[in-house]
Amino acid sequence: MPSQVFLIPAAAAEDPDILSQKARDAYLRIGLNDELAKEDFVALKIHFGEKHNTGYIRPAWLLGLIREVRKKTPLAFLTDSNTLYVGHRSNSVEHIRLAWSHGFTPDVVDIPVIIADGLIGRDAQEGKGEHGRVAAPKIASAFLHSDALICLSHATGHVQTGIGAALKNMGMGCASRAGKLDQHSVAHPRVTPKACRNCGLCFDYCPAKAIVQAEGHIVIDDAACIGCGECLVVCKYGAIKIRWDEDSRRIQEKVAEYAFHVHRHFRGKTGFLNFLVKITKNCDCMAKDEPRIVEDIGILASRDPVAIDKATADLVLARSGGQDVWRKGYDIDWSAQLRHGERIGLGSTDYELIELPG
Ligand code: SF4
Ligand code: SF4
């Protein structure tokens, strides 16, 4: 039986009330709300957007969905975990302030924001990996203390996984900082000395102080590098690269295994919404406004995280006239996360797309 994926056509420019209604309708179709029990803790996993980013899912788009969840339980909350890199989301105080500045305040969304891995990203529990890539997944505690998960993902390109959507949001996004480090640890960027202009920009962004000066160019200290990928994104001259296919495949497989571990905890009480609007080359960690790589498509909803990401990829390729706009951004075989997710039993790439009236 193929997994069901519901699509409501939508665009970011629409009235926020209409988008809220569409997100609610898509959410109600997947049936999770009927399964929520009184006093279930429900984690609404989201990315609040980095400072100056403009692509993140807006709070106003979620009001209808949140109202439905609140009718079932008063214990719902919006959540994300702290970032690996230094920025405005690497501790809970700044993270919550950033969420507020993007409109996720109690008077607007009517539920609290809780950062899932505590003040500095160390509130986590370690499990046992089963599928080869991850030995001991480290998951932010708030997820493991919750009864249901609603994964709200803005679909974008991604520097390390090609596509960032439900699998990335659940696998990387529910991991503690140590878990994120574990997933990134297979990537080893390298510098092409001839391409480096020695501008120094990457120094400011490296959270591990792993970039050191050499004669006329920089070098990366492999022992100090944590593989976060920040330097790849900020270098305007393409002087820093990873071994895309090999390193990315291993990261994607780790992401899928972390996602499996989170998913299994909820014993089926999970639902996924992917927002295919303002799809950009980079994820919402980018502290800037980025152009779209494809026209807006709509909102997807499913109970299957692999199916919803496969449908996301397919819809974007179709909207771009068959051109692989994901690979145009970063030359990565983004399908590795889907293949591995399917292989380990997280979900299915076989799906039925059901279009709902927009
Ligand atoms: S940002 Fe790029 S060009 Fe500038 S110093 Fe770093 S590697 Fe070299
Ligand atoms: S060298 Fe690059 S990938 Fe390594 S820690 Fe620094 S910014 Fe991250």
Side-chain angles (χ1 to χ4, degrees):
M1 269 279 275
S3 296
Q4 290 186 323
V5 180
F6 297 94
L7 165 66
I8 297 194
E14 283 181 86
D15 185 304
D17 290 343
I18 303 283
L19 284 172
S20 162
Q21 209 176 316
K22 289 183 176 182
R24 185 204 63 175
D25 291 352
Y27 167 65
L28 290 179
R29 283 303 293 263
I30 60 175
L32 175 64
N33 212 54
D34 301 329
E35 296 168 23
L36 296 181
K38 199 177 160 212
E39 311 225 334
D40 268 356
F41 282 110
V42 181
L44 278 73
K45 167 69 180 77
I46 195 165
H47 186 315
F48 296 109
E50 191 47 83
K51 199 170 182 179
H52 306 304
N53 177 270
T54 57
Y56 62 93
I57 297 170
R58 301 305 157 113
W61 303 349
L62 302 175
L63 300 185
L65 182 158
I66 290 172
R67 265 195 300 273
E68 296 300 330
V69 177
R70 292 273 283 108
K71 284 181 200 166
K72 301 302 293 264
T73 169
L75 301 180
F77 60 99
L78 283 155
T79 187
D80 196 3
S81 57
N82 288 310
T83 59
L84 194 53
Y85 61 86
V86 181
H88 296 92
R89 295 180 301 122
S90 60
N91 67 69
S92 292
V93 176
E94 289 181 288
H95 204 155
I96 290 173
R97 281 197 184 284
L98 180 53
W100 286 349
S101 74
H102 283 177
F104 294 91
T105 52
D107 56 319
V108 174
V109 290
D110 196 29
I111 54 175
V113 169
I114 295 173
I115 302 305
D117 55 351
L119 188 63
I120 54 168
R122 299 181 80 163
D123 186 359
Q125 291 178 26
E126 197 166 295
K128 192 169 172 351
E130 292 166 22
H131 298 108
R133 286 276 180 224
V134 176
K138 297 153 192 67
I139 308 297
S141 291
F143 295 109
L144 300 178
H145 292 138
S146 295
D147 304 291
L149 174 73
I150 302 173
C151 203
L152 304 162
S153 311
H154 175 216
T156 64
H158 195 272
V159 62
Q160 286 173 318
T161 55
I163 293 176
L167 293 179
K168 175 81 176 26
N169 194 15
M170 185 164 53
M172 190 70 80
C174 295
S176 67
R177 292 182 82 183
K180 291 187 177 81
L181 184 58
D182 177 25
Q183 290 174 71
H184 283 106
S185 63
V186 291
H188 297 291
R190 279 162 202 76
V191 180
T192 309
K194 272 192 186 155
C196 175
R197 310 275 182 97
N198 214 14
C199 70
L201 190 60
C202 54
F203 280 97
D204 300 334
Y205 282 84
C206 177
K209 308 222 176 310
I211 297 178
V212 290
Q213 187 66 55
E215 192 65 38
H217 61 86
I218 61 106
V219 291
I220 292 172
D221 175 359
D222 266 351
C225 173
I226 58 173
C228 68
E230 285 298 295
C231 54
L232 290 152
V233 177
V234 298
C235 179
K236 296 182 199 138
Y237 304 105
I240 303 182
K241 302 204 183 307
I242 61 170
R243 289 174 300 184
W244 292 114
D245 278 338
E246 199 182 326
D247 289 349
S248 174
R249 181 171 55 80
R250 285 188 291 173
I251 292 176
Q252 290 182 59
E253 290 180 358
K254 283 193 164 197
V255 165
E257 292 189 17
Y258 264 79
F260 176 91
H261 197 75
V262 174
H263 192 250
R264 187 177 56 182
H265 161 78
F266 290 101
R267 300 168 193 264
K269 273 196 180 180
T270 51
F272 302 89
L273 266 73
N274 283 4
F275 288 73
L276 279 61
V277 296
K278 202 171 194 312
I279 302 170
T280 48
K281 174 182 169 185
N282 290 298
C283 68
D284 296 341
C285 294
M286 285 298 104
K288 59 179 180 179
D289 182 30
E290 286 208 11
R292 285 171 170 75
I293 56 172
V294 67
E295 289 306 308
D296 290 358
I297 296 169
I299 301 169
L300 293 181
S302 181
R303 301 296 289 270
D304 182 331
V306 176
I308 196 170
D309 278 7
K310 177 71 164 73
T312 295
D314 291 345
L315 285 163
V316 167
L317 294 189
R319 182 58 61 95
S320 342
Q323 187 194 14
D324 190 340
V325 287
W326 304 114
R327 281 196 92 124
K328 211 171 148 203
Y330 295 103
D331 189 16
I332 288 173
D333 176 9
W334 44 263
S335 63
Q337 56 194 296
L338 303 175
R339 283 197 305 276
H340 198 59
E342 186 162 49
R343 197 180 304 132
I344 64 180
L346 176 58
S348 170
T349 56
D350 184 18
Y351 67 91
E352 176 194 7
L353 188 69
I354 302 162
E355 191 161 335
L356 305 173

mmCIF file of all heavy atoms in Angstrom, residues 191 195-202 218 235-237 239-240, ligand 1:
data_model
loop_
_atom_site.group_PDB
_atom_site.id
_atom_site.type_symbol
_atom_site.label_atom_id
_atom_site.label_comp_id
_atom_site.label_asym_id
_atom_site.label_seq_id
_atom_site.Cartn_x
_atom_site.Cartn_y
_atom_site.Cartn_z
ATOM 1 N N VAL A 191 40.401 22.882 1.619
ATOM 2 C CA VAL A 191 40.587 24.179 0.958
ATOM 3 C C VAL A 191 41.368 23.974 -0.331
ATOM 4 O O VAL A 191 42.319 23.201 -0.368
ATOM 5 C CB VAL A 191 41.387 25.130 1.880
ATOM 6 C CG1 VAL A 191 41.584 26.479 1.214
ATOM 7 C CG2 VAL A 191 40.698 25.276 3.217
ATOM 8 N N ALA A 195 42.167 28.811 -5.062
ATOM 9 C CA ALA A 195 40.890 29.537 -5.103
ATOM 10 C C ALA A 195 40.712 30.474 -3.909
ATOM 11 O O ALA A 195 39.905 31.399 -3.944
ATOM 12 C CB ALA A 195 39.734 28.544 -5.152
ATOM 13 N N CYS A 196 41.474 30.252 -2.854
ATOM 14 C CA CYS A 196 41.297 31.058 -1.642
ATOM 15 C C CYS A 196 41.872 32.459 -1.835
ATOM 16 O O CYS A 196 43.030 32.617 -2.205
ATOM 17 C CB CYS A 196 41.986 30.362 -0.458
ATOM 18 S SG CYS A 196 41.959 31.351 1.045
ATOM 19 N N ARG A 197 41.050 33.477 -1.557
ATOM 20 C CA ARG A 197 41.515 34.874 -1.690
ATOM 21 C C ARG A 197 42.012 35.422 -0.355
ATOM 22 O O ARG A 197 42.251 36.612 -0.238
ATOM 23 C CB ARG A 197 40.364 35.764 -2.171
ATOM 24 C CG ARG A 197 39.626 35.245 -3.386
ATOM 25 C CD ARG A 197 40.324 35.664 -4.657
ATOM 26 N NE ARG A 197 39.563 35.188 -5.798
ATOM 27 C CZ ARG A 197 38.691 35.905 -6.472
ATOM 28 N NH1 ARG A 197 38.448 37.152 -6.127
ATOM 29 N NH2 ARG A 197 38.053 35.394 -7.512
ATOM 30 N N ASN A 198 42.020 34.562 0.640
ATOM 31 C CA ASN A 198 42.512 34.978 1.966
ATOM 32 C C ASN A 198 41.701 36.144 2.539
ATOM 33 O O ASN A 198 42.257 37.022 3.210
ATOM 34 C CB ASN A 198 43.993 35.372 1.852
ATOM 35 C CG ASN A 198 44.759 35.013 3.120
ATOM 36 O OD1 ASN A 198 44.264 34.254 3.946
ATOM 37 N ND2 ASN A 198 45.939 35.568 3.284
ATOM 38 N N CYS A 199 40.403 36.154 2.258
ATOM 39 C CA CYS A 199 39.571 37.276 2.706
ATOM 40 C C CYS A 199 39.270 37.222 4.202
ATOM 41 O O CYS A 199 38.888 38.218 4.800
ATOM 42 C CB CYS A 199 38.258 37.292 1.918
ATOM 43 S SG CYS A 199 37.164 35.923 2.360
ATOM 44 N N GLY A 200 39.391 36.046 4.800
ATOM 45 C CA GLY A 200 39.224 35.936 6.251
ATOM 46 C C GLY A 200 37.798 35.735 6.727
ATOM 47 O O GLY A 200 37.560 35.559 7.923
ATOM 48 N N LEU A 201 36.824 35.739 5.813
ATOM 49 C CA LEU A 201 35.425 35.639 6.235
ATOM 50 C C LEU A 201 35.140 34.348 6.999
ATOM 51 O O LEU A 201 34.432 34.341 8.006
ATOM 52 C CB LEU A 201 34.514 35.736 4.994
ATOM 53 C CG LEU A 201 33.021 35.883 5.263
ATOM 54 C CD1 LEU A 201 32.743 37.146 6.075
ATOM 55 C CD2 LEU A 201 32.252 35.925 3.952
ATOM 56 N N CYS A 202 35.704 33.249 6.526
ATOM 57 C CA CYS A 202 35.406 31.957 7.161
ATOM 58 C C CYS A 202 35.910 31.890 8.605
ATOM 59 O O CYS A 202 35.337 31.180 9.423
ATOM 60 C CB CYS A 202 35.982 30.816 6.331
ATOM 61 S SG CYS A 202 37.722 30.977 5.985
ATOM 62 N N ILE A 218 44.094 29.965 3.616
ATOM 63 C CA ILE A 218 43.809 29.339 4.906
ATOM 64 C C ILE A 218 43.895 27.815 4.769
ATOM 65 O O ILE A 218 43.845 27.273 3.666
ATOM 66 C CB ILE A 218 42.428 29.758 5.456
ATOM 67 C CG1 ILE A 218 41.305 29.335 4.492
ATOM 68 C CG2 ILE A 218 42.355 31.267 5.685
ATOM 69 C CD1 ILE A 218 40.503 28.192 4.937
ATOM 70 N N CYS A 235 31.995 30.962 2.207
ATOM 71 C CA CYS A 235 33.046 31.294 1.234
ATOM 72 C C CYS A 235 32.434 31.624 -0.121
ATOM 73 O O CYS A 235 31.789 30.794 -0.742
ATOM 74 C CB CYS A 235 34.041 30.142 1.077
ATOM 75 S SG CYS A 235 35.316 30.559 -0.132
ATOM 76 N N LYS A 236 32.648 32.856 -0.575
ATOM 77 C CA LYS A 236 32.037 33.291 -1.846
ATOM 78 C C LYS A 236 32.837 32.828 -3.046
ATOM 79 O O LYS A 236 32.442 33.014 -4.180
ATOM 80 C CB LYS A 236 31.992 34.824 -1.872
ATOM 81 C CG LYS A 236 31.119 35.442 -0.827
ATOM 82 C CD LYS A 236 31.162 36.963 -1.022
ATOM 83 C CE LYS A 236 30.714 37.670 0.238
ATOM 84 N NZ LYS A 236 31.516 38.830 0.559
ATOM 85 N N TYR A 237 34.003 32.271 -2.811
ATOM 86 C CA TYR A 237 34.889 31.941 -3.932
ATOM 87 C C TYR A 237 34.980 30.442 -4.202
ATOM 88 O O TYR A 237 35.802 30.002 -5.004
ATOM 89 C CB TYR A 237 36.284 32.526 -3.655
ATOM 90 C CG TYR A 237 36.227 34.003 -3.394
ATOM 91 C CD1 TYR A 237 36.359 34.514 -2.104
ATOM 92 C CD2 TYR A 237 35.973 34.896 -4.442
ATOM 93 C CE1 TYR A 237 36.259 35.877 -1.854
ATOM 94 C CE2 TYR A 237 35.872 36.264 -4.187
ATOM 95 C CZ TYR A 237 36.020 36.740 -2.908
ATOM 96 O OH TYR A 237 35.903 38.085 -2.671
ATOM 97 N N ALA A 239 36.181 28.164 -2.436
ATOM 98 C CA ALA A 239 37.507 27.634 -2.107
ATOM 99 C C ALA A 239 37.441 26.470 -1.126
ATOM 100 O O ALA A 239 38.427 25.782 -0.910
ATOM 101 C CB ALA A 239 38.380 28.757 -1.534
ATOM 102 N N ILE A 240 36.273 26.263 -0.504
ATOM 103 C CA ILE A 240 36.145 25.173 0.477
ATOM 104 C C ILE A 240 35.135 24.157 -0.037
ATOM 105 O O ILE A 240 34.034 24.519 -0.451
ATOM 106 C CB ILE A 240 35.708 25.708 1.852
ATOM 107 C CG1 ILE A 240 36.701 26.769 2.330
ATOM 108 C CG2 ILE A 240 35.610 24.580 2.864
ATOM 109 C CD1 ILE A 240 36.405 27.341 3.693
HETATM 110 S S1 SF4 B 1 36.150 32.642 2.974
HETATM 111 FE FE1 SF4 B 1 37.004 31.481 1.247
HETATM 112 S S2 SF4 B 1 38.355 32.923 0.196
HETATM 113 FE FE2 SF4 B 1 37.936 33.777 2.239
HETATM 114 S S3 SF4 B 1 39.650 33.048 3.509
HETATM 115 FE FE3 SF4 B 1 37.978 31.563 3.739
HETATM 116 S S4 SF4 B 1 38.394 29.991 2.158
HETATM 117 FE FE4 SF4 B 1 39.642 31.779 1.643
#
